[in-house]
Amino acid sequence: MILQSCFSQPTSTPRNCFSINNPFLASHLKRSFKNCCFCSFEKRILILKHDLHNEYCLKSISSNFKIRALESDAGQLDEATAERTKSDYGDLVWPSPIDEIPFWNRELPSWDISSEGPVDIQKDSDLMHIVHVTAEMAPIAKVGGLGDVVTGLARACLTRGHKVDVFLPFYECINKQHIKELALTSTYNSFYDGSWVATNVYRGVVSGIPVVFIEPSNQFFKGQSVYGGSYNELEAYLFFSRACLEWLQVSGTQPDIIHVHEWQTGSLPLLYWDMYHYLSLKKPRIVLTIHNMEHYGECRQEQLSKCGLDGSMYANEEKAVDDRTIGHNPERLSLLKGSIVYSNAIVTVSPTYLKETLCSGWLAGTLIRHRDKYFGILNGIDAAMWNPATDAYLPAKFDANNVEGKKICKLYVQRGLGLASEVHSRNPDTVPLVVCISRLVAQKGLHLITNAIRYVEELGGQMVILGKAPDGRVESEFRGLAELHSKGSSIRILLMYSEELSHMLYAAADIVLVPSIYEPCGLAQMIGMRYGAVPIVRKTGGLADTVFDMDDQSQPELMNGT
Ligand code: ADP
């Protein structure tokens, strides 16, 4: 926990870092509103704290809150910039929407961040061996923030001198080219559903982090994506959780901390304390991080029994019964609840989300009972993975002292997506680019995103949405919107996952929109700030802990968005 806290608030922040809580960020943003590197933008956009449904809406009104868009038409780059652009980016191949290969799929330079990051980090005195057991890890198996946080936290702990291993299912969809030194270490057997399953264990290095890949010989983790394969996901993660402990036992490894994440690895604390601790694993203590309480790991007793525990032993209020099902037949279990009860410490990803989870939701009672071991620690972003000064995916690099590269990035994205630059010649002012990069699920404020499209269009701005919708109905709604706008000059909706494009969009953005209904922490607003964009968010969870309203004069040193 302490380590996670250190990660959230790096002690030595590079000068070009816009991390949260960095006073440099506030002054950067203030400067960016006021001075020359951002050209003027006549239309004023602000977030009206609209009382309507207690939600925020984008509105154009005359106000003193002025967001200046980056000058973005090549013809309008100032002379000095144009000169430098010619010399520095003379061989840049500008993209076009009719390119056969979209610009984010072009051959991009290979990028190994393992050697990047602050060099002057002080080592901790009390060094530990930490094992993360996780369903996601960026960039090889990332769906959302969980992947980012596991990688960032592991790298931060390594930098501080700890020994770290990440245990990950060897998903079939993982691109092996991103793994260094990949080698089959051993084959062992792990128990599942009455028999022992031959399981391969590979070792490799991802972004400088040692990773242990667990590959069962059955159908688990096969498919083209991290989630949603044709196998039973709950059973696959039950298998994985036990297989990790089994491997620690077989290999005689006794880490100090086993750090589990989300419901997927929620059975591990139960398996540890009720089984493996009685066998040979004595030393480890268990930390659970709850990244999002949306999923509870609903599980039937007989499913839990498949991993070798007696499921009926956990079907009571003190252990793992899903309180919502009490009195129903059959009652269910919740792996998340079980792991809250059985872990030595529980962390959630922001102080405000901690308060929210203690006040609402059916797990509030359990969390209150375990309040003394429950902590809210703000996530951070990996300042090496998200660094506009070194980011390999950007057509031009930049930092707070040199934003010309950001102008190039914006123009590059506008050209590649066919967002009009002719608007600029009619209008001497340039157009702000609003970017929203998000899983398209109800939590993320889908109706606010669609409202924002309308407002941005009405206001003469531009907007790009990059998102994947796991739900078919949401997918088809956004597909309809994407088609509606595909020929226009101001809105683009890209329904897919692309790590590379996400980097380019953050770099191009003037504004990053995060209108979540609830948000345990949220990384998009932090990444946006690191790439010099202004975050516009709903005040909830971690967004409330990281974005401080420009209109709120009570803490002028913190103001960084709205
Ligand atoms: P959550 O974990 O709820 O998805 P976060 O804001 O914590 O939300 O983290 C989201 C992470 O996933 C960010 O790094 C964001 O850039 C990334 N992301 C979300 N959707 C996409 C997408 N379609 N393509 C690429 N990256 C995405």
Side-chain angles (χ1 to χ4, degrees):
M1 291 162 301
I2 290 155
L3 287 166
Q4 194 161 0
S5 165
C6 299
F7 167 61
S8 311
Q9 299 173 346
T11 43
S12 91
T13 310
R15 174 131 170 67
N16 61 0
C17 174
F18 303 105
S19 303
I20 301 308
N21 296 335
N22 180 350
F24 185 64
L25 167 65
S27 68
H28 161 78
L29 286 166
K30 268 185 244 156
R31 247 185 323 153
S32 69
F33 292 134
K34 288 195 190 102
N35 74 25
C36 54
C37 63
F38 287 69
C39 80
S40 74
F41 170 55
E42 202 171 65
K43 270 197 182 134
R44 290 147 191 211
I45 296 181
L46 95 165
I47 289 293
L48 258 192
K49 279 158 214 147
H50 223 258
D51 248 351
L52 182 71
H53 308 307
N54 213 11
E55 283 162 355
Y56 284 18
C57 298
L58 264 173
K59 272 244 163 156
S60 161
I61 63 162
S62 198
S63 101
N64 55 8
F65 183 80
K66 207 175 190 182
I67 294 177
R68 294 153 193 258
L70 275 172
E71 192 170 321
S72 58
D73 187 287
Q76 292 181 355
L77 293 177
D78 62 59
E79 251 171 56
T81 309
E83 268 313 300
R84 220 162 312 156
T85 303
K86 245 187 258 159
S87 58
D88 292 354
Y89 307 109
D91 50 1
L92 183 65
V93 181
W94 290 92
S96 141
I98 56 168
D99 288 343
E100 206 173 314
I101 302 173
F103 61 92
W104 59 89
N105 280 346
R106 283 183 186 171
E107 211 153 288
L108 291 159
S110 65
W111 188 20
D112 177 16
I113 60 158
S114 57
S115 54
E116 291 177 22
V119 282
D120 52 350
I121 291 286
Q122 222 184 335
K123 303 278 185 251
D124 287 333
S125 52
D126 191 7
L127 293 180
M128 292 189 283
H129 180 195
I130 303 156
V131 164
H132 289 274
V133 180
T134 174
E136 288 185 39
M137 181 193 191
I140 54 167
K142 171 178 160 183
V143 175
L146 167 62
D148 284 318
V149 171
V150 167
T151 300
L153 182 55
R155 271 169 47 78
C157 292
L158 278 169
T159 317
R160 297 177 77 102
H162 301 277
K163 179 170 159 49
V164 181
D165 291 299
V166 172
F167 281 47
L168 187 71
F170 208 170
Y171 298 106
E172 192 182 30
C173 63
I174 287 177
N175 181 347
K176 298 186 180 53
Q177 282 173 344
H178 292 150
I179 308 169
K180 283 190 173 171
E181 299 161 36
L182 181 64
L184 177 66
T185 305
S186 178
T187 299
Y188 68 110
N189 291 320
S190 191
F191 181 85
Y192 193 71
D193 199 11
S195 53
W196 291 85
V197 179
T199 301
N200 290 329
V201 54
Y202 293 80
R203 276 194 160 275
V205 177
V206 176
S207 303
I209 304 160
V211 183
V212 173
F213 295 96
I214 303 292
E215 183 188 56
S217 54
N218 58 18
Q219 78 288 6
F220 290 159
F221 309 119
K222 302 278 187 288
Q224 293 317 301
S225 55
V226 170
Y227 302 128
S230 55
Y231 52 90
N232 182 311
E233 216 150 65
L234 171 73
E235 296 193 6
Y237 289 115
L238 285 170
F239 167 84
F240 171 64
S241 299
R242 175 152 183 187
C244 291
L245 288 172
E246 186 69 28
W247 174 245
L248 289 175
Q249 174 160 281
V250 166
S251 61
T253 313
Q254 301 268 359
D256 297 283
I257 304 281
I258 301 175
H259 194 149
V260 299
H261 300 265
E262 304 291 66
W263 71 267
Q264 286 94 341
T265 50
S267 64
L268 190 147
L270 283 57
L271 282 158
Y272 176 73
W273 285 113
D274 285 348
M275 189 186 290
Y276 282 86
H277 193 63
Y278 291 107
L279 299 170
S280 70
L281 293 179
K282 301 290 178 201
K283 192 172 163 199
R285 292 297 176 267
I286 312 286
V287 176
L288 160 72
T289 289
I290 302 172
H291 298 257
N292 192 333
M293 232 175 258
E294 189 186 0
H295 300 290
Y296 303 106
E298 284 121 357
C299 174
R300 295 194 311 274
Q301 288 176 34
E302 59 275 21
Q303 285 177 306
L304 185 59
S305 298
K306 285 189 181 181
C307 69
L309 294 169
D310 176 356
S312 64
M313 295 287 294
Y314 300 88
N316 58 62
E317 271 180 78
E318 288 66 43
K319 291 189 172 173
V321 87
D322 181 333
D323 301 49
R324 296 167 302 174
T325 66
I326 292 173
H328 290 71
N329 187 12
E331 287 175 354
R332 272 180 321 209
L333 305 176
S334 155
L335 296 181
L336 187 61
K337 176 174 168 182
S339 62
I340 290 169
V341 172
Y342 272 77
S343 293
N344 298 89
I346 314 151
V347 182
T348 196
V349 290
S350 71
T352 298
Y353 193 59
L354 174 112
K355 287 187 210 141
E356 290 170 356
T357 54
L358 285 168
C359 292
S360 64
W362 70 269
L363 275 175
T366 308
L367 289 168
I368 289 167
R369 272 201 300 284
H370 294 275
R371 180 69 186 91
D372 57 337
K373 60 173 185 181
Y374 184 33
F375 305 88
I377 302 173
L378 196 60
N379 275 340
I381 54 171
D382 186 320
M385 187 173 285
W386 297 104
N387 182 359
T390 55
D391 191 325
Y393 301 141
L394 305 189
K397 319 281 184 251
F398 60 93
D399 62 31
N401 299 315
N402 173 11
V403 291
E404 272 135 39
K406 187 166 171 72
K407 296 178 189 179
I408 304 290
C409 292
K410 182 175 175 184
L411 182 58
Y412 189 85
V413 163
Q414 284 174 315
R415 287 200 178 173
L417 295 178
L419 294 170
S421 12
E422 72 195 49
V423 175
H424 308 170
S425 42
R426 265 192 274 123
N427 185 347
D429 298 307
T430 51
V431 178
L433 177 63
V434 181
V435 160
C436 178
I437 301 171
S438 179
R439 290 182 297 119
L440 295 174
V441 294
Q443 176 205 335
K444 301 295 179 179
L446 297 177
H447 63 297
L448 295 175
I449 296 174
T450 48
N451 275 350
I453 297 173
R454 195 156 44 85
Y455 283 122
V456 169
E457 203 177 22
E458 274 172 28
L459 293 166
Q462 295 180 338
M463 184 163 181
V464 180
I465 296 170
L466 172 63
K468 224 176 153 190
D471 180 291
R473 270 175 308 177
V474 176
E475 158 93 17
S476 64
E477 185 194 341
F478 275 83
R479 198 157 291 292
L481 282 171
E483 275 159 26
L484 186 71
H485 291 285
S486 63
K487 300 278 179 292
S489 58
S490 53
I491 310 291
R492 289 292 176 273
I493 300 168
L494 300 147
L495 296 175
M496 59 180 192
Y497 182 91
S498 167
E499 187 70 15
E500 295 83 356
L501 181 57
S502 75
H503 283 244
M504 295 180 202
L505 289 177
Y506 285 119
D510 296 300
I511 296 168
V512 167
L513 182 68
V514 192
S516 306
I517 304 305
Y518 75 92
E519 191 58 79
C521 179
L523 299 180
Q525 79 283 7
M526 300 196 211
I527 302 169
M529 286 191 264
R530 176 112 166 103
Y531 282 64
V534 179
I536 293 184
V537 306
R538 268 191 87 246
K539 191 171 183 181
T540 180
L543 299 172
D545 293 331
T546 53
V547 177
F548 303 98
D549 197 343
M550 292 298 294
D551 291 337
D552 178 3
Q553 301 297 326
S554 64
Q555 293 172 299
E557 70 291 351
L558 291 179
M559 297 186 309
N560 60 8
T562 193

